[in-house]
Amino acid sequence: MTKYVKSVEALPSNLHLWETIHTQTGIVETKTIDIFPTTSIEASDTLTFIIPAMSKMMLQNVQIVSEIRVLTAADANPEANHPVSTLPHLAAALYRNVEITAGSASLVQSFDNAYAISKFWETTLNTRSGCHPHLHSKEGYWIDTVKTKAHSEDVAFFPDADTAVVNGGGQDRAKNIALGKKVCLVSDLDASIFKQDKLLPSELEMQVTLTKNYSEFILLSPDNHTDKVKFDKIMLRCTFQRPQDAVLNIIEQRLKKEKSTDCDSALIPLL
């Protein structure tokens, strides 16, 4: 109730005999920075990003922004009703390995495509159906809509006019990449260090390494098709927040008191 008693809306203006105490927040600035890889996405399947150490800025979140197209082996746009679709969670399937390094602490996935599998299941199990339209446009997420296992393995995404579609979700994914159109995907970097409610310390440089996945893993198509995924752009979108100087001083004093000045030791439990 104190907030409303001190608010300018709680009393008529003619009763404001003293200046109202303004509501304060611990965060004074939010900044978003797009970070591009240090190497060309055409020259290597493994891309390294350096998240810089920001003075007084604490890292809140990291997203992967990817722009892709699905082309034929000759780099041409596929024809209409081309029988090629993608895995149910396209944004998750694009990268087969993810590694994050902060100081001497490193987070490496345990096996190939562990990132794609874990992100798909986490999204599927923890997302309500009402959010699916948002995931369609943002992450290319359409689950299969089938009645039998055989239907889930059917790659006839555009059957003849007299044949019914047996996998509507697979057809929706095929339409999403049809005719070689560019698809922009934005998804959170799904790593334990970013999936917690604490801001990461300021002045902390981090290295993120992404390894592009194989087209054969990403795409679902008949055996005689040789389509491929072309990456046009990959970047990390990092959100930083700057607390008030008083808050930063409290954090620094607490770290000195507990002898945790080394950020590596503070990050190990998060990794």
Side-chain angles (χ1 to χ4, degrees), residues 250-261:
I250 292 173
I251 294 174
E252 293 176 358
Q253 292 173 7
R254 179 70 178 271
L255 289 174
K256 291 178 181 180
K257 182 179 178 180
E258 297 188 2
K259 298 181 179 180
S260 299
T261 53

Side-chain angles (χ1 to χ4, degrees), residues 90-104:
L90 181 55
L94 294 181
Y95 306 100
R96 69 177 188 268
N97 282 301
V98 177
E99 180 177 355
I100 301 171
T101 303
S104 61

Side-chain angles (χ1 to χ4, degrees), residues 1-63:
M1 293 301 295
T2 305
K3 175 181 177 182
Y4 297 99
V5 170
K6 293 182 178 180
S7 171
V8 294
E9 299 177 356
L11 295 172
S13 59
N14 58 348
L15 293 179
H16 293 161
L17 304 181
W18 295 275
E19 182 180 357
T20 305
I21 300 177
H22 298 287
T23 302
Q24 296 183 351
T25 177
I27 303 298
V28 297
E29 180 184 5
T30 299
K31 180 181 295 186
T32 300
I33 299 177
D34 290 338
I35 299 176
F36 291 86
T38 57
T39 55
S40 169
I41 61 176
E42 300 287 346
S44 175
D45 285 342
T46 301
L47 305 174
T48 299
F49 303 81
I50 303 299
I51 300 176
M54 302 285 287
S55 176
K56 297 185 178 182
M57 303 294 291
M58 305 178 72
L59 184 60
Q60 179 190 30
N61 186 42
V62 178
Q63 293 179 313

Side-chain angles (χ1 to χ4, degrees), residues 127-134:
T127 303
R128 297 180 178 179
S129 59
C131 298
H132 286 182
H134 176 69

Side-chain angles (χ1 to χ4, degrees), residues 41 45-47 49 63-68 87 89-99 109 111-119 185 187-189 209-214 217-218 229 231-236:
I41 61 176
D45 285 342
T46 301
L47 305 174
F49 303 81
Q63 293 179 313
I64 305 175
V65 181
S66 309
E67 290 185 1
I68 67 164
L87 287 180
H89 196 177
L90 181 55
L94 294 181
Y95 306 100
R96 69 177 188 268
N97 282 301
V98 177
E99 180 177 355
Q109 64 188 51
F111 58 90
D112 213 29
N113 276 312
Y115 179 83
I117 296 171
S118 63
K119 187 168 180 62
L185 304 164
S187 63
D188 289 337
L189 180 53
T209 302
L210 304 177
T211 303
K212 294 184 291 184
N213 222 327
Y214 307 108
F217 180 87
I218 301 171
V229 177
F231 290 80
D232 290 327
K233 180 188 294 185
I234 305 172
M235 64 184 184
L236 297 184

